[in-house]
């Protein structure tokens, strides 16, 4: 039985509790229960959340946890020296130590991340680097694994991290079953960017949002300006003007960004040949896909596959 402890402290973010459901469903879908989940805090008892309601916790003890996950808060606070002392000594007793979002600050304060690769929410990246210059921060990752230390980005990325833990312990197929049970499209790879092309374009109107959604769902189609203008029920000229005003991109550039993002996800989370990925995401062939990758993210598909393959081996 793997004993999981989720460490919370006053004013923690409630979305971090979602990791508990990953381990709950892993138990339900496995032939037998594998995880024993505990919500813990330094002193035990009620702990207030950032939304002004409290949850009941057990006292953090020296009992042998297999995995200890540290939650985060909104303000990057270091809750107490006692908790930091506990974390400082934890690697001697605990197989796997992880953080969700700004929980990385606690691991950093305890010295557990010195000389290691780590991630946290992109919003706090500059502050994190200033506070902890000995850490190799990669704020553009969903989660990072360096030895026994796992760190994840924003709070929802805690679910990706928990699914990766399940995959490591029980295999990829069970992790996929849990993701489906959670109605998560698929587990995002640790190498995937925290940023989304659709979020970055931030369309203001339903008309343009519907065009972006159509493009994402029909990547194998031609997706010309004329086709997208028809979806928006505008003339091509009107559509191009409105689209650029709202997104800051031309329709062609936006389609390229969406295709690159979709192809990158497939490269990181599947074993499909690059020729197949190029066809499925509308590039047509590997060379066109390679040129777009170099233009958009400065790396080739082959380089991204090599990095993601190494990340999967290390998990």
């Amino acid at each position: 039985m793997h004993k999981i402890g989720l460490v919370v402290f006053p004013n923690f973010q409630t979305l971090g509790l979602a990791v508990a459901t990953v381990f709950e469903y892993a138990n339900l879908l496995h032939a037998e229960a594998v995880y024993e989940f505990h919500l813990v805090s330094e002193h035990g008892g009620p702990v207030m959340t950032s939304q002004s309601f409290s949850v009941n916790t057990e006292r953090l003890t020296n009992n042998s946890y297999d995995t200890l996950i540290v939650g985060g808060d909104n303000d990057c606070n270091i809750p107490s020296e006692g908790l930091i002392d506990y974390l400082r000594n934890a690697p001697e007793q605990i197989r796997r130590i992880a953080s969700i979002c700004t929980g990385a600050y606690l691991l950093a304060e305890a010295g557990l991340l010195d000389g290691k690769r780590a991630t946290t929410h992109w919003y706090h990246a500059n502050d994190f680097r200033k506070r902890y210059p000995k850490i190799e921060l990669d704020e553009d990752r969903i989660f990072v694994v360096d030895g026994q230390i796992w760190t994840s980005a924003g709070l929802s990325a805690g679910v990706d991290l928990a699914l990766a833990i399940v995959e490591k312990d029980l295999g990829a197929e069970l992790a996929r079953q849990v993701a489906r049970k959670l109605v998560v499209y698929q587990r995002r790879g640790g190498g995937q960017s925290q940023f989304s092309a659709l979020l970055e374009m931030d369309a203001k109107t339903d008309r343009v949002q519907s065009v972006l959604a159509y493009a994402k769902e029909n990547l194998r189609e031609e997706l010309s300006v004329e086709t997208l203008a028809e979806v928006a029920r505008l003339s091509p000229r009107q559509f191009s003007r409105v689209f650029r005003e709202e997104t800051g991109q031309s329709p062609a550039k936006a389609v390229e960004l969406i295709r690159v993002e979709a192809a990158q996800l497939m490269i990181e989370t599947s074993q499909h040949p690059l020729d197949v990925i190029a066809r499925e995401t509308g590039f047509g062939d590997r060379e066109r896909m390679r040129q777009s990758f170099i233009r958009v993210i400065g790396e080739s598909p082959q380089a991204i596959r090599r990095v993601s393959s190494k990340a999967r081996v290390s998990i």
Side-chain angles (χ1 to χ4, degrees):
M1 183 73 72
H2 297 300
K3 187 175 181 180
I4 307 286
L6 174 61
V7 181
V8 297
F9 48 87
N11 297 313
F12 77 95
Q13 272 271 12
T14 55
L15 184 55
L17 297 173
V19 300
T21 306
V22 174
F23 301 113
E24 178 186 9
Y25 281 167
N27 282 341
L28 292 172
L29 293 168
H30 197 253
E32 58 183 357
V34 177
Y35 296 108
E36 179 185 308
F37 186 86
H38 298 262
L39 184 63
V40 298
S41 64
E42 183 180 1
H43 303 295
V47 175
M48 190 66 69
T49 72
S50 62
Q51 294 177 293
S52 299
F53 65 85
S54 63
V55 297
N56 197 43
T57 66
E58 303 172 27
R59 183 174 178 273
L60 187 61
T61 68
N62 289 326
N63 292 341
S64 55
Y65 298 95
D66 174 78
T67 301
L68 196 67
I69 305 173
V70 180
D73 70 351
N74 287 319
D75 301 314
C76 309
N77 289 323
I78 306 302
S80 75
E81 187 57 36
L83 180 54
I84 299 304
D85 282 342
Y86 181 96
L87 292 173
R88 191 173 289 125
N89 298 313
E92 299 174 7
Q93 306 174 35
I94 298 171
R95 179 169 69 97
R96 188 165 46 202
I97 301 169
S99 65
I100 302 172
C101 194
T102 57
Y105 278 77
L106 278 69
L107 301 191
E109 196 69 21
L112 302 187
L113 301 181
D114 286 354
K116 291 184 176 292
R117 294 175 56 249
T119 192
T120 189
H121 195 292
W122 62 266
Y123 184 83
H124 301 288
N126 289 336
D127 175 66
F128 191 93
R129 282 198 178 90
K130 289 176 184 177
R131 287 205 212 181
Y132 309 110
K134 296 180 181 178
I135 298 166
E136 185 183 341
L137 184 71
D138 190 347
E139 75 271 26
D140 194 32
R141 301 296 93 181
I142 295 295
F143 64 85
V144 170
V145 181
D146 193 332
Q148 73 185 115
I149 307 296
W150 301 46
T151 52
S152 67
L155 288 158
S156 64
V159 172
D160 298 287
L161 180 141
L163 285 167
I165 289 174
V166 170
E167 180 175 329
K168 175 66 173 177
D169 293 342
L170 304 174
E173 179 54 34
L174 186 71
R176 281 192 289 269
Q177 290 178 27
V178 174
R180 287 196 292 269
K181 185 76 170 175
L182 289 168
V183 198
V184 176
Y185 175 65
Q186 60 186 33
R187 179 179 76 74
R188 296 179 291 181
Q192 187 181 346
S193 172
Q194 292 187 35
F195 301 96
S196 161
L198 295 184
L199 288 177
E200 290 294 294
M201 284 186 273
D202 191 27
K204 303 297 187 299
T205 64
D206 290 344
R207 190 191 298 268
V208 174
Q209 287 176 2
S210 67
V211 169
L212 291 171
Y214 176 87
K216 186 175 181 180
E217 294 299 319
N218 295 275
L219 289 178
R220 295 188 67 175
E221 306 301 322
E222 184 182 351
L223 298 180
S224 64
V225 170
E226 290 74 19
T227 298
L228 298 179
E230 187 175 343
V231 174
R233 297 183 180 179
L234 293 170
S235 69
R237 183 176 180 180
Q238 285 178 309
F239 169 69
S240 294
R241 177 179 57 79
V242 169
F243 190 92
R244 186 181 287 275
E245 286 175 354
E246 289 200 25
T247 68
Q249 305 283 354
S250 69
K253 185 63 176 178
V255 168
E256 181 181 47
L257 292 174
I258 294 170
R259 282 183 166 140
V260 166
E261 183 173 81
Q264 183 177 356
L265 179 58
M266 290 184 70
I267 290 168
E268 292 172 341
T269 60
S270 78
Q271 296 299 318
H272 294 309
L274 294 181
D275 288 330
V276 172
I277 293 173
R279 289 197 303 271
E280 290 297 315
T281 53
F283 288 107
D285 58 64
R286 288 178 56 164
E287 180 55 26
R288 286 183 59 194
M289 183 169 72
R290 188 192 69 81
Q291 290 174 2
S292 286
F293 268 62
I294 297 298
R295 190 161 44 241
V296 172
I297 59 180
E299 290 187 274
S300 69
Q302 292 89 340
I304 290 172
R305 170 143 284 175
R306 283 195 297 270
V307 171
S308 61
S309 296
K310 289 179 182 178
R312 282 195 294 270
V313 169
S314 68
I315 290 177

